[in-house]
Amino acid sequence: MEYTPTQPDAARPQPLDAAVPQQPGPSRIGPYEVFQLLGEGGMGRVFLARSPGSRLVALKVIRPEYAEAPDFRGRFRREADAARKVSGFFTPPVLDADADAPQPWLATAYVPAPSLHEVVRRFGVLPEPALRALGTGLAEALLAIQATGIVHRDLKPGNVLVAHDGPRVIDFGISRALDATQVTRTDAVIGTPGFMAPEQITSGRAVGPAADVFSLGCVLVFAATGRGPFGSGGTAEILYRAVHTAPQLDGVPGALHSLLAACLDKDPARRPAADALLAALGPTEPSALLTPGLRADLAAREAHAAVLVAAPPLPAATPDSAASPDPVAPGRPSRRRFLWIAVGATAAAGAATAAVTGWPPGPGRTPAPGGAGAGTTVRPSPAVAAAPAPLWTHPLSRSVQNGHLALLGPTLVHWDQDGAVGYDAAAGTERWTASPRLPSDVSSGRPRWLGAYGDALYGTVHGDHEYLLVLDGDGALRASHSLSTGEQASSGDYVVSVLGAGGGVAFVGIEGDQGYVVRAVDLAAGTVLWNRTMNGSDFQATADGQSCFLQDNGALYGMDLRTGNVRWTARDVVRPGTYPGLAVAGNAVLVTGVKVQAFGAADGRELWTAVNESVYLSNTAVAGDRPFVADSQDTVFALDPRDGSQLWHTVSPLHLDGAGTPSQERGPSAGTSLVVAPLSQPRGLIAFNASDGKVRWAHQATGTEADGKTSWLVKAGGTTVYAASDTTLYAFRSDTA
């Protein structure tokens, strides 16, 4: 299925010189000056850019594999030309396109507004007047699109923006060109499971305007209930229900029940046309869509957009400018300064959202604490309890780079590649500094610590051979094993990672003369059990007691722990190069990137997909077989490992730090009682109940720690939370009453 990104939270821009989780874009595309990456999906990337006339645009750049497909450019040109003819109030106009560019692109007017998906998640489900206002806007948009002969084919909550004066439908105009290309697999169709018409699923291209009416019905059910009409679970299950079972309309207002049931009729001929739907829903008032929280969110986005419009133009490249990241004419504010002002303007406009509430939540949904949802740099948070007094603190004698916290039994270890220190987790006293006895052939060099799994810290050191070191919670060297598969280690071999450990086996990533290799080592005997050459550099591995699960170049493999024999393969799980996170929860293997996908650990069967986002998610944390994940919109989710349904989700009243950074330990940490996540600006941490998502407390740093250079590290263990700033190690003990 083709996944298309929404316009993510533009009210939370990252300055161009700040670290962002998304891949940075070019400075110009065609005549457009690029500010930042908005989102990324299956068909391409979307950038926020500015025209020569200082008009902001959403610039969609098509992926190279589409552009290289036979006849795609001709189809793209025809569809873009047709899309330019769409002239409706509820569709942003298509302004420009270039089918002949190395990567074709299409520019539409930028709408500084959140998607319906974001609105429902942050502010709750919509009451009937708001549903009617949404429905009439969508029906009018479909009429404008259909008048030019276009069928949208992917109408979903992420493709609906909620602006001050009503909804806007985006991402129309290129679906048919993409669908006709069929570059990924022969049975590929454009659409999103849960929002696709039955005829779109069964016959692919044989769809007409009635398919968009079906999708509109699905969108309204989502807006009314917080879920799609065909439930959650694996893609195959959702598609089957859409074709064969009745929609779930529990929670839909009674006055709209029969109308939405008609939209979701399996027979396209029995569905109402868009004009009949418009008449049945209206007349309406667009302002019914607005709550105080959404108004503040929109004001923040509009303030940010206004500052970007006024930013100085990007200077033309010159030999001198290459050495200066922010060239500026004398007496003019720098471009970087303007972008930092944009962040400040966003903060000022959005601060009010911390004190307002939105629509009431639907069944089983947790409201956003305080209605928070706009992008503020520091949110006033009177409703968030202060953290309990620290159980203990300990000054840190050395700074760490890309540091980590790990619990090895009763020992808390603070470590990076260059060193590790163990502390008594109960008292905070220092127990040891890693200084293991090294193999006799290691005459120089020191260990590199690369991972903590179970009750051990793993590292490597290089002598005549490359060695795997295993350090226990007491700081003692438990094992030292050669990683050589012959009498001599290849001089080109270099250990890049210790990927995981389980069942008495460790998995080591090696870059060598033959490319990238994953090597399995028996931790008791020290023997190399198997090697597997990787197809890409973005490989990951994890393990349970019986199997190793390996992601390589977009495919997921279930392998025998000790032989390396492949038991099953799931292909096209992620786009190669996206570096997803891997975790095991119960009987499922979880792959986390822009969504969480679950596969059966025993057979690789696709089980479910959850939290399908347009931006990266954090790695999934697992406690007691329950998965927890956070996104870059400051929302923390608890998932049911059986079907992926949301047990709860909570929008943090304070900004989370790095929750949308893939494959990094900057997301939440979960214990049996608490889920904790680091904060940014000011630094610190926030704790949630693991059972229901309620915010327990937050620790916000003061003084120099509030502006620390590095992200705080957090680790949850039972009812105790551990954290490390630049200078201090903390332990907090908290009940969950």
Side-chain angles (χ1 to χ4, degrees):
M1 300 299 164
E2 187 65 38
Y3 175 74
T4 56
T6 63
Q7 295 187 58
D9 192 351
R12 293 183 196 168
Q14 291 281 359
L16 294 184
D17 58 348
V20 295
Q22 298 95 337
Q23 179 180 351
S27 60
R28 290 189 183 275
I29 297 174
Y32 297 96
E33 184 181 351
V34 174
F35 284 115
Q36 66 189 80
L37 179 67
L38 288 175
E40 187 168 5
M43 68 173 65
R45 294 191 289 170
V46 182
F47 297 95
L48 175 59
R50 184 174 63 179
S51 73
S54 294
R55 185 174 182 179
L56 294 183
V57 301
L59 199 64
K60 175 162 286 186
V61 181
I62 305 302
R63 288 174 57 185
E65 56 263 41
Y66 287 109
E68 295 165 2
D71 302 324
F72 170 77
R73 293 179 184 273
R75 294 190 193 98
F76 180 83
R77 185 179 296 107
R78 290 191 295 272
E79 295 301 320
D81 288 343
R84 289 181 187 180
K85 299 175 184 177
V86 176
S87 58
F89 182 78
F90 295 106
T91 58
V94 174
L95 305 173
D96 198 1
D98 188 351
D100 299 314
Q103 287 183 249
W105 54 262
L106 180 141
T108 62
Y110 173 67
V111 180
S115 72
L116 178 64
H117 181 274
E118 294 174 85
V119 168
V120 170
R121 195 182 69 215
R122 293 184 186 178
F123 306 117
V125 297
L126 277 59
E128 184 180 339
L131 287 170
R132 289 183 177 273
L134 174 66
T136 55
L138 297 183
E140 190 169 330
L142 289 186
L143 285 172
I145 293 169
Q146 292 167 5
T148 64
I150 293 175
V151 178
H152 191 295
R153 305 166 74 86
D154 196 21
L155 186 63
K156 60 184 178 181
N159 281 341
V160 176
L161 305 180
V162 184
H164 272 299
D165 48 2
R168 299 290 190 276
V169 174
I170 63 172
D171 273 0
F172 61 89
I174 57 176
S175 293
R176 186 160 58 190
L178 289 165
D179 194 28
T181 303
Q182 301 285 300
V183 298
T184 54
R185 45 175 103 69
T186 56
D187 61 347
V189 293
I190 299 296
T192 299
F195 298 91
M196 296 168 63
E199 66 271 21
Q200 193 173 355
I201 297 167
T202 58
S203 56
R205 302 187 189 92
V207 298
D212 284 345
V213 170
F214 186 95
S215 298
L216 188 153
C218 294
V219 168
L220 291 181
V221 172
F222 170 84
T225 66
R227 53 169 171 73
F230 301 105
S232 59
T235 298
E237 298 172 72
I238 297 173
L239 296 180
Y240 179 88
R241 294 188 204 115
V243 174
H244 297 289
T245 67
Q248 302 171 14
L249 299 181
D250 297 344
V252 172
L256 298 178
H257 197 283
S258 61
L259 182 62
L260 295 190
C263 292
L264 298 174
D265 198 298
K266 306 298 184 190
D267 185 350
R270 293 199 294 262
R271 296 173 202 149
D275 55 355
L277 187 59
L278 181 62
L281 289 168
T284 62
E285 175 53 53
S287 62
L289 281 164
L290 300 177
T291 62
L294 179 56
R295 289 180 190 273
D297 180 272
L298 290 167
R301 295 170 188 269
E302 289 164 1
H304 169 241
V307 174
L308 291 183
V309 166
L314 182 69
T318 66
D320 292 338
S321 67
S324 174
D326 193 25
V328 59
R332 287 185 68 188
S334 74
R335 178 182 176 84
R336 178 180 301 160
R337 173 63 178 159
F338 265 85
L339 295 178
W340 278 111
I341 291 172
V343 177
T346 296
T353 56
V356 296
T357 58
W359 292 300
R365 293 177 60 82
T366 302
T376 61
T377 302
V378 180
R379 302 183 198 181
S381 52
V384 182
L391 179 66
W392 53 258
T393 63
H394 194 288
L396 295 174
S397 57
R398 61 179 292 267
S399 61
V400 300
Q401 301 296 322
N402 299 315
H404 308 268
L405 281 180
L407 280 169
L408 307 184
T411 302
L412 178 71
V413 180
H414 183 226
W415 62 277
D416 62 6
Q417 283 200 17
D418 295 329
V421 180
Y423 300 85
D424 185 294
T429 54
E430 185 173 327
R431 297 186 60 200
W432 49 262
T433 297
S435 182
R437 181 177 179 180
L438 301 180
S440 59
D441 62 321
V442 178
S443 58
S444 62
R446 58 185 179 180
R448 291 184 301 118
W449 303 109
L450 299 176
Y453 305 99
D455 62 350
L457 179 67
Y458 294 82
T460 63
V461 68
H462 193 80
D464 292 341
H465 303 269
E466 192 84 10
Y467 289 93
L468 176 68
L469 306 178
V470 186
L471 207 67
D472 67 20
D474 293 326
L477 185 64
R478 181 182 297 174
S480 174
H481 300 313
S482 171
L483 293 173
S484 174
T485 56
E487 292 186 0
Q488 290 290 328
S490 169
S491 60
D493 281 356
Y494 181 78
V495 175
V496 294
S497 57
V498 177
L499 299 161
V505 180
F507 307 96
V508 180
I510 294 176
E511 181 180 4
D513 297 335
Q514 305 304 314
Y516 291 101
V517 172
V518 171
R519 187 162 296 167
V521 180
D522 185 304
L523 291 173
T527 55
V528 173
L529 298 174
W530 50 265
N531 291 279
R532 183 178 178 89
T533 300
M534 298 291 98
N535 295 312
S537 62
D538 63 332
F539 55 90
Q540 292 90 28
T542 190
D544 59 15
Q546 298 178 328
S547 300
C548 169
F549 307 103
L550 178 65
Q551 187 281 136
D552 177 30
N553 207 37
L556 181 66
Y557 301 92
M559 304 167 62
D560 183 272
L561 197 67
R562 303 193 67 83
T563 67
N565 293 335
V566 176
R567 294 170 171 168
W568 52 261
T569 304
R571 301 198 180 278
D572 300 323
V573 173
V574 295
R575 186 167 59 83
T578 53
Y579 294 86
L582 293 185
V584 177
N587 297 319
V589 185
L590 308 183
V591 183
T592 306
V594 293
K595 54 189 172 184
V596 184
Q597 301 176 81
F599 300 86
D603 55 13
R605 179 172 60 92
E606 184 181 358
L607 301 177
W608 47 261
T609 299
V611 199
N612 204 335
E613 296 280 352
S614 61
V615 292
Y616 282 116
L617 304 171
S618 70
N619 272 0
T620 298
V622 179
D625 289 344
R626 178 177 293 184
F628 300 88
V629 68
D631 67 10
S632 59
Q633 314 298 333
D634 293 342
T635 305
V636 180
F637 302 84
L639 305 177
D640 190 320
R642 297 168 298 181
D643 59 9
S645 59
Q646 292 182 26
L647 300 174
W648 55 260
H649 73 272
T650 300
V651 180
S652 171
L654 301 165
H655 280 315
L656 306 185
D657 184 25
T661 305
S663 298
Q664 299 290 329
E665 296 180 18
R666 295 293 181 267
S669 176
T672 54
S673 301
L674 294 173
V675 179
V676 294
L679 298 174
S680 64
Q681 297 178 341
R683 303 290 189 183
L685 69 154
I686 187 168
F688 308 84
N689 278 351
S691 59
D692 58 14
K694 291 182 179 178
V695 176
R696 294 300 304 154
W697 48 262
H699 173 77
Q700 299 182 66
T702 58
T704 57
E705 280 200 321
D707 301 314
K709 295 181 179 180
T710 60
S711 299
W712 278 44
L713 307 173
V714 297
K715 186 68 178 178
T719 58
T720 304
V721 174
Y722 304 94
S725 70
D726 287 340
T727 62
T728 308
L729 201 61
Y730 296 85
F732 301 92
R733 182 167 291 163
S734 174
D735 61 43
T736 55

